[in-house]
Amino acid sequence: MFTKYSSYILCLLIAILVVAVYTADFSFLVRQEWKIQDLLYSVRSDTPFAGDICLVNIDDHALDKYGPWPWNRDRIGDLLAAVGTGEPKTVLMNIIFDYDVAQDTLDYTTILSEQLAWMKNVVVPYELVKAEFRSGKISNPDYLRDFAITVDNDLGILPEHNTLLARKIFMPPLPLTEFASGLGFKYNIFDEDKKIRWMPLSMHHEGYYYPSVELMTAARYLNIDPSLITINGGKSVQLGGITIPTNDRGEMFVNYGKPGATFGRFSAAEVLAEKVDLKTFKGKLIIISVTAENEAEYYSTPVSSRLEDSELTAFAIENIVHGNFLKRFSNQAMIDLITLFALGILFAFVLPRVILMYRLIIIAGTFIILANVTYVLFNSYGIMGRPLYIGIELFLLLLAVPIMDNEILSRLGLLNSGQDKITPASRARKAAADDVLARSGPVPIAKTASVETTQMGGSTALGNTAMEKTVSAQPEKAVMQEISAAQTKADACADYQTIKPADENPPADSSGWESDSGREISPLPEKPATEAEALSEMEMASQQSQDNEDAFSSTPTESKLRNLGRYKIIGLLGKGAMGSVYKGLDPAINRNVALKTIRLDFISDPEEFAELKERLFREARAAGVLSHPNIVTIYDVGTEGKLQYIAMEHIQGVTLEEMIRRKVKFNYRIIAQMITQICGALDYAHSQKIVHRDIKPANIMVQKDYTVKVMDFGIARVDSTSMTRTGIAMGTPNYIAPEQLQGKQVDHRCDIFSLGVMLYEMLTGRRPFHGENLTALIYSIINRDPEPPSTVDPAIPNLFDRVAIKALKKNPNERYQKAGDVAADLADFIQSFTPARKGSI
C-alpha cells in the first residue's frame, strides 16, 4: 500500500508542513513577507494619484528668505492667510505647537488663532504618550471631547488591544484649540525593521476615542462630522460611505505612491511672495509642513528609506479620501489554507505520473504564475496576498521531485523492505532470457517453468547451476542452454561492474544516484580487531548513555518525575540549587503551567521539615491572592515525596538576568517602562502586606513586548529564610538590602533597594557593589555608597542618577518609601524624554 502511494503521501506531507508553518506565523517569515511587499512597491506601475492634495513646504529656500526655523507665529499666520486666499477646502497645519511664553506675550499666538478663526477649515495636530493599560478615568476638556468618535457596539468601548491607548496628550495652546476646525493626534507605528507600514486611526484617552490627524483631515475634507466616524473594533473604521480596512489594532495599511512625484509641491517662500497662482488651491486639501533639510522629520518606509513626514501624512490622507486602500480578502486565512492544501493534492496526483524534466517544468511554471498573479492583484486591485507560503510549498516540492521515483524511494528505505528488489543483475538476466526466447520461438509453459533462478546473497550462480541441471533432460535443451549461457554472461558483466576496483568511479545519472549499470552492495560493519576493543566500545556506549541520562536530571528523585500531583510534566524549563522548574499541563482544564520544585530532602529533623512545609504552604497561599498584570499568578501548591512544588502561570519570555548576561543594550525609555511595571507590581504586593525580599533579575520575566512579570512572590521569602538557617549556600547577595545582611528587621523598603540595584545594572551593565569575595561584597553593600550611573556612562540621563542613588540609600528611611514614588519619578522622565519634533514651535 505504502509502496504504491508513497509519492502521493510525500506531496501531501509537504502541504501539511507548510500549513503548520503558516498557522504558527513565525516572526522570521513575517519579515520575509514584508520584503515581498516592499518589492511589489518597487515594481508597481506609476498609477497617478488624485491631484486634489497639495503640499506647501517650509523648505530651505523659505528659511533662507524669511529667517531660520522656528518662525514667529505671526509669520505662520501670514503663510496661512496667503494659502487661505486661494480658498482651499481644508488645510492641515502639520506643525506641532507647544506652549511658548514669549510667543504668547508678544500676541503672536493670538494672531495665529485669529487667522484660524477667519478660515474655519484648519486642522491642528497634537501628540501623545502611549499607555500600556487603559485608564479608568473619564475626564476630557470640552474642546477635545467635541471631536470624539463612536464605537460600533452596545457598550461603546473596545477591547484594549483594538486601539491605541494614550496615557497623556500634549495639546496646542488653548487659543489654537478653540478655533481649530479639527484636532487629531500624530503617532507613528514602526515594524521590527523600523519601517512604517501601518497608521493608527484611533486612540483611547480617559473614556473617549479620538481620531488621528489623518482621519480627522479626511473627514473635514469630505464634510463628515467626527461624531459620525465609527470604529468597528479590529475590522474597520467607517467614515461616511467609506469603509477603511484595519488590522485588529485599528491600524490602516498605508498604500504608498511614488515619493516626490505624487502630490503638487509649493515652497512657502513662493506662496508668501505671491509668485504662485493661489487659485490653484481652490477646493483642494492643503498640507503645510516643515521640510527644510535640518528641520524636517524623515521616516523609513517601503518606498523610501528617507520619506518626509509631509508626504507620509499626505499618502495616508489620500488613501482615506479616495478609498485607495491596500487590503486582503475578507477570509484571507481560509483562502490561503485551501490554496495550500489544493496545491498539495494537485501536485500529489500530477507530479508522480510524469518524468523528472516535466516535474521541474510544472513547478517552474507555477512559480511564474504565482509571481504574475501576485503582481496583478497588487498593482490592479490593491490586494495584498500572501504568496510566501505558496512559494515555500513549491520550493519544498522542487526539492522533493527527484526522489518521487519508487526505485529511489526504495534505496532510501522508504518503501516496503520485505519486497523483492529488482537489481541490475536480475534485470540483465531477464532481458537476456527474453531476447533468446524471442529468437528461438515459443517454449511450452510446462517446460519453461523450470527456468527459475534462486537468488541468494546477491549472487545467481547457484540458481544457474540448478537451472542447467533441470533443462538438460528437456527436448528444448539447446534453447535452454543458450538462455543459461546468456544469463551467465549478463551476471558476469554485472558482477564486474559491481566489484571493480575502488579507484574506478561508476557512472552516475543526473540525480546523483548510482547508475543502473551497477549493483548496490551494502557494506558490512567493520569488526573490532579484538574482543577487548569490542568490550571497550560497549563500555563507552554505556557510559555515554549514562552521561546523557544524568544530564537530563537534576537529582535522582527528580529524574524519575512524570507527574507532580495532578500536573503532567511536559519538559524541563530550568534548574537551580533549590530545585527545578518544569513546564506542566493541568489536565483538568488543559492549561499550561510552570511547576517550580523546592527540595526539602536536606532536612532530617521531622519537626523542622513540618515547620518549613507549613511555612511554604502559608507563604504560597498568601502570594496566591495577588492578582496583578505584572505578577506571575500562583495557582496551586503541593507535595510530591520530599519535593514541594508550586504551580504558577506559564510565561513565554526570557528572564531579565538572561538579557543582562547577553549584554542587551537597553533603551532608556524601555528601562523606565520596565522598572515602572515592576514598581506597580511591588506597590500592589506591599499594599497587601506581602514583601518579596528577593527582587533580582532572575525573578523578572520579560515578554516579547517588554511586558514584565515578577515571579516568586512569597516563595523567595521561604527560600531566603529557611535555607540560610539550614546552612545551604545561597550564592552572592548582590541584590540584598543592607538591613537584611545585618539581620535587622526588614520591611517592604528592602524590595526598593533591590530594585535600585537592578536599575543600576540595567543602566551601566554592571552592579553597584563589588568585592573580591563574599565578605568583601557584603562589606561593600553595608558601608560603601555607589558612584552615580552617569559616571560610568555619561550618556545616562541625570534623572536616573537621582532615582538610582535614592533607591540605594543604606538607611531605609532615606530611600523611596513606596515603589509608586519611583514609578512617579520615572513617569516624569518618560514625559520629559519624549523626543520633541524638530518642527514643533
Side-chain angles (χ1 to χ4, degrees), residues 33 90 96 124 140 150 169 178 187 242 283 285 338 343 393 414 432 439 501 532 542 548 557 574 602 640 693 718:
E33 283 194 283
T90 303
I96 298 297
V124 178
N140 281 190
T150 60
I169 58 176
E178 289 180 347
Y187 192 85
I242 301 175
L285 194 160
I338 292 175
L343 285 176
E393 184 172 6
L414 297 178
R439 289 187 285 104
S542 175
N548 291 339
T557 302
F602 54 82
E640 187 75 25
R693 302 194 187 196
V718 175

Side-chain angles (χ1 to χ4, degrees), residues 735-761:
Y735 305 91
I736 299 179
E739 60 268 27
Q740 285 178 275
L741 295 174
Q742 293 172 312
K744 296 179 180 179
Q745 184 68 30
V746 298
D747 56 20
H748 66 280
R749 292 173 294 183
C750 70
D751 288 344
I752 297 176
F753 183 90
S754 303
L755 183 71
V757 178
M758 264 195 331
L759 172 61
Y760 194 102
E761 188 172 8

Side-chain angles (χ1 to χ4, degrees), residues 7-26:
S7 297
Y8 306 100
I9 294 174
L10 180 61
C11 292
L12 292 176
L13 288 176
I14 289 175
I16 293 173
L17 172 63
V18 177
V19 167
V21 171
Y22 178 94
T23 54
D25 204 21
F26 294 112

Side-chain angles (χ1 to χ4, degrees), residues 582-595:
Y582 298 96
K583 180 180 180 180
L585 176 68
D586 186 347
I589 54 177
N590 196 31
R591 173 176 63 187
N592 286 333
V593 297
L595 298 168

Side-chain angles (χ1 to χ4, degrees), residues 578 600 602-616 618 717-730:
M578 298 307 305
L600 302 179
F602 54 82
I603 301 176
S604 57
D605 186 352
E607 293 184 2
E608 185 177 358
F609 177 86
E611 179 188 351
L612 183 56
K613 179 178 176 181
E614 173 60 27
R615 177 179 294 181
L616 175 64
R618 187 171 61 251
R717 179 175 178 179
V718 175
D719 291 350
S720 61
T721 56
S722 302
M723 304 309 130
T724 304
R725 184 181 61 193
T726 52
I728 300 299
M730 292 298 297

Side-chain angles (χ1 to χ4, degrees), residues 72-338:
N72 289 326
R73 289 173 183 171
D74 62 332
R75 178 62 53 79
I76 298 176
D78 293 342
L79 175 60
L80 197 58
V83 171
T85 304
E87 300 182 9
K89 188 173 183 180
T90 303
V91 176
L92 168 59
M93 183 65 69
N94 193 32
I95 300 172
I96 298 297
F97 293 97
D98 297 328
Y99 283 93
D100 190 313
V101 176
Q103 297 288 320
D104 296 343
T105 303
L106 297 172
D107 284 338
Y108 293 153
T109 302
T110 302
I111 293 172
L112 179 58
S113 65
E114 290 173 350
Q115 191 61 48
L116 266 62
W118 171 72
M119 294 184 65
K120 299 180 181 179
N121 63 351
V122 180
V123 179
V124 178
Y126 60 90
E127 292 187 303
L128 59 84
V129 175
K130 183 181 177 183
E132 299 297 330
F133 306 100
R134 182 166 52 208
S135 170
K137 297 180 180 179
I138 302 179
S139 172
N140 281 190
D142 291 340
Y143 63 80
L144 180 61
R145 194 165 55 244
D146 290 341
F147 302 110
I149 56 181
T150 60
V151 175
D152 186 22
N153 64 42
D154 294 336
L155 298 177
I157 192 167
L158 297 172
E160 286 190 356
H161 66 278
N162 281 159
T163 190
L164 185 67
L165 304 177
R167 183 171 62 83
K168 188 175 181 63
I169 58 176
F170 301 94
M171 300 301 296
L174 187 59
L176 302 185
T177 60
E178 289 180 347
F179 297 108
S181 172
L183 296 173
F185 69 87
K186 285 185 72 71
Y187 192 85
N188 292 318
I189 302 292
F190 298 89
D191 286 327
E192 290 182 6
D193 59 355
K194 306 305 180 185
K195 291 185 179 181
I196 296 179
R197 296 181 177 87
W198 299 90
M199 185 72 68
L201 296 182
S202 64
M203 69 89 174
H204 178 274
H205 179 65
E206 295 188 353
Y208 294 88
Y209 293 89
Y210 297 101
S212 67
V213 71
E214 295 83 8
L215 182 58
M216 174 58 72
T217 304
R220 285 308 188 202
Y221 184 72
L222 297 173
N223 296 322
I224 297 173
D225 191 85
S227 62
L228 300 179
I229 303 174
T230 304
I231 309 174
N232 301 314
K235 297 179 181 178
S236 63
V237 173
Q238 195 69 34
L239 179 65
I242 301 175
T243 300
I244 308 171
T246 66
N247 59 15
D248 59 357
R249 299 182 300 275
E251 300 163 357
M252 177 188 74
F253 197 93
V254 182
N255 185 8
Y256 291 98
K258 188 175 181 181
T262 301
F263 307 104
R265 301 167 69 92
F266 302 89
S267 172
E270 305 297 329
V271 174
L272 285 169
E274 298 185 0
K275 295 183 179 180
V276 175
D277 184 4
L278 298 179
K279 293 181 180 179
T280 306
F281 298 157
K282 186 176 180 63
K284 294 185 178 181
L285 194 160
I286 309 300
I287 301 176
I288 301 176
S289 305
V290 179
T291 61
E293 181 68 24
N294 294 325
E295 303 294 343
E297 293 282 349
Y298 296 93
Y299 300 102
S300 178
T301 66
V303 295
S304 173
S305 60
R306 203 165 181 267
L307 186 70
E308 292 176 354
D309 174 69
S310 59
E311 280 199 285
L312 172 62
T313 303
F315 281 128
I317 295 174
E318 191 280 335
N319 293 170
I320 299 172
V321 169
H322 300 108
N324 189 20
F325 307 117
L326 284 178
K327 50 189 176 295
R328 299 190 188 275
F329 295 109
S330 58
N331 50 353
Q332 180 75 47
M334 182 61 66
I335 292 175
D336 291 339
L337 294 177
I338 292 175

Side-chain angles (χ1 to χ4, degrees), residues 270-542:
E270 305 297 329
V271 174
L272 285 169
E274 298 185 0
K275 295 183 179 180
V276 175
D277 184 4
L278 298 179
K279 293 181 180 179
T280 306
F281 298 157
K282 186 176 180 63
K284 294 185 178 181
L285 194 160
I286 309 300
I287 301 176
I288 301 176
S289 305
V290 179
T291 61
E293 181 68 24
N294 294 325
E295 303 294 343
E297 293 282 349
Y298 296 93
Y299 300 102
S300 178
T301 66
V303 295
S304 173
S305 60
R306 203 165 181 267
L307 186 70
E308 292 176 354
D309 174 69
S310 59
E311 280 199 285
L312 172 62
T313 303
F315 281 128
I317 295 174
E318 191 280 335
N319 293 170
I320 299 172
V321 169
H322 300 108
N324 189 20
F325 307 117
L326 284 178
K327 50 189 176 295
R328 299 190 188 275
F329 295 109
S330 58
N331 50 353
Q332 180 75 47
M334 182 61 66
I335 292 175
D336 291 339
L337 294 177
I338 292 175
T339 302
L340 293 173
F341 274 120
L343 285 176
I345 294 172
L346 177 64
F347 286 134
F349 284 95
V350 172
L351 297 182
R353 299 172 182 267
V354 298
I355 63 175
L356 177 62
M357 182 180 68
Y358 290 156
R359 295 173 195 164
L360 298 176
I361 292 174
I362 290 172
I363 293 179
T366 309
F367 264 119
I368 294 173
I369 293 173
L370 174 64
N372 281 275
V373 169
T374 302
Y375 174 78
V376 170
L377 288 175
F378 179 83
N379 190 61
S380 301
Y381 300 98
I383 296 176
M384 183 70 72
R386 302 188 70 179
L388 174 66
Y389 296 93
I390 299 177
I392 292 175
E393 184 172 6
L394 293 176
F395 178 73
L396 293 177
L397 287 168
L398 185 65
L399 297 179
V401 290
I403 61 173
M404 286 184 181
D405 295 307
N406 285 346
E407 183 176 347
I408 296 177
L409 290 175
S410 176
R411 293 182 181 184
L412 292 174
L414 297 178
L415 298 183
N416 187 1
S417 58
Q419 68 178 1
D420 294 334
K421 293 184 179 181
I422 303 177
T423 63
S426 61
R427 189 185 294 111
R429 289 196 305 275
K430 184 178 183 301
D434 291 343
D435 181 63
V436 172
L437 289 174
R439 289 187 285 104
S440 303
V443 179
I445 295 177
K447 296 179 181 180
T448 59
S450 61
V451 192
E452 294 181 357
T453 61
T454 304
Q455 188 174 358
M456 298 179 62
S459 173
T460 58
L462 180 59
N464 289 337
T465 304
M467 181 188 69
E468 290 172 4
K469 292 180 179 179
T470 303
V471 301
S472 60
Q474 303 300 326
E476 296 82 4
K477 180 178 179 180
V479 174
M480 303 313 294
Q481 285 179 341
E482 186 175 353
I483 291 175
S484 177
Q487 289 182 340
T488 303
K489 182 177 180 180
D491 277 350
C493 293
D495 289 340
Y496 170 75
Q497 292 173 353
T498 303
I499 313 174
K500 62 195 298 186
D503 57 349
E504 296 184 27
N505 297 321
D509 62 16
S510 60
S511 63
W513 297 96
E514 185 183 344
S515 172
D516 284 343
S517 60
R519 266 194 305 180
E520 239 182 17
I521 292 183
S522 301
L524 294 174
E526 295 182 4
K527 179 181 179 181
T530 65
E531 292 184 6
E533 292 181 15
L535 181 60
S536 175
E537 289 183 10
M538 293 175 63
E539 290 175 347
M540 290 174 62
S542 175

